[in-house]
């Protein structure tokens, strides 16, 4: 079904009118479970965005006033079925191996615990070295904001005590 009408700005054009008519036909035939108890359908106009139910006539007016919501190209709230994805069958190049050994793929190996501990130790040592190399007035570079704020406030309160 051609849905190019959904992107037309001129809502008075024949193409837009024909598109609205095709949408209303789909909506008119949508399953009962897609309608509310009054038999109204969701309104896909820009303002309602499928949140509210109205009669077909009101939905038509809304579509002419504000257009159909962008991105609503498969009308699932109105009974349009999403086409299933087709996968190629019985073609050798698209088949997945039945087991991991069929195509000589590398087998996953467990993580060596000793190796993992060595890595963590090296990482911790690198952090310690980088902190000791960059200091501000004798304090580690990783000094957190709370400690800095406390230090600044402590200096200010000491200045006030000397001034007062």
């Amino acid at each position: 079904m051609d849905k190019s009408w959904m992107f037309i700005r001129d809502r008075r054009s024949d193409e837009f009118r024909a598109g609205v008519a095709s949408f209303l036909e789909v909506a008119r035939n949508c399953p009962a479970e897609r309608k509310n108890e009054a038999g109204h359908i969701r309104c896909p106009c820009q303002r309602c965005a499928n949140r509210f139910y109205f009669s077909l006539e009101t939905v038509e007016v809304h579509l002419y006033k504000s257009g159909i919501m962008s991105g609503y190209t498969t009308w699932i709230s109105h009974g349009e079925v999403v086409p299933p994805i087709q996968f190629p069958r019985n073609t050798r190049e698209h088949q997945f191996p039945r087991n991991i050994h069929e195509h000589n793929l590398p087998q996953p190996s467990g993580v060596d615990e000793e190796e993992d501990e060595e890595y963590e130790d090296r990482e911790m040592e690198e952090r310690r070295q980088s902190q000791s190399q960059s200091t501000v007035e004798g304090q580690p570079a990783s000094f957190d904001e709370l400690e800095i704020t406390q230090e600044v406030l402590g200096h200010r309160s000491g200045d006030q005590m000397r001034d007062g």
Side-chain angles (χ1 to χ4, degrees), residues 14-28:
D14 291 337
E15 217 176 340
F16 189 85
R17 290 174 188 261
V20 169
S22 68
F23 169 78
L24 292 172
E25 188 61 33
V26 169
R28 183 175 288 109

Side-chain angles (χ1 to χ4, degrees), residues 21-156:
S22 68
F23 169 78
L24 292 172
E25 188 61 33
V26 169
R28 183 175 288 109
N29 296 317
C30 80
E33 64 266 9
R34 298 281 185 205
K35 298 177 181 179
N36 69 2
E37 52 279 345
H40 294 164
I41 63 166
R42 291 180 181 269
C43 181
C45 79
Q46 289 283 345
R47 288 187 172 174
C48 295
N50 278 334
R51 293 176 297 187
F52 309 107
Y53 289 86
F54 294 106
S55 68
L56 284 169
E57 294 78 19
T58 302
V59 169
E60 181 177 17
V61 170
H62 283 203
L63 290 174
Y64 284 117
K65 279 186 174 181
S66 63
I68 194 162
M69 60 191 241
S70 62
Y72 189 53
T73 54
T74 303
W75 303 330
I76 58 172
S77 293
H78 299 88
E80 187 173 24
V81 178
V82 178
I85 299 172
Q86 297 294 322
F87 293 102
R89 293 181 178 233
N90 298 330
T91 57
R92 190 72 179 144
E93 61 200 43
H94 290 95
Q95 285 183 338
F96 293 103
R98 290 179 187 233
N99 63 46
I100 200 161
H101 305 292
E102 187 175 316
H103 289 284
N104 297 323
L105 298 174
Q107 295 185 25
S109 60
V111 176
D112 185 12
E113 287 182 31
E114 273 185 44
E115 198 174 293
D116 194 32
E117 286 177 16
E118 286 176 23
Y119 175 77
E120 287 176 6
D121 290 343
R122 279 192 307 249
E123 194 174 73
M124 289 293 286
E125 184 59 35
E126 286 174 11
R127 281 190 200 151
R128 281 190 208 113
Q129 286 177 357
S130 68
Q131 286 177 352
S132 66
Q133 288 174 356
S134 55
T135 59
V136 177
E137 295 181 24
Q139 298 298 328
S142 63
F143 213 44
D144 71 354
E145 289 179 4
L146 179 60
E147 289 173 316
I148 292 171
T149 305
Q150 287 174 339
E151 185 175 326
V152 169
L153 291 175
H155 284 302
R156 285 187 185 162

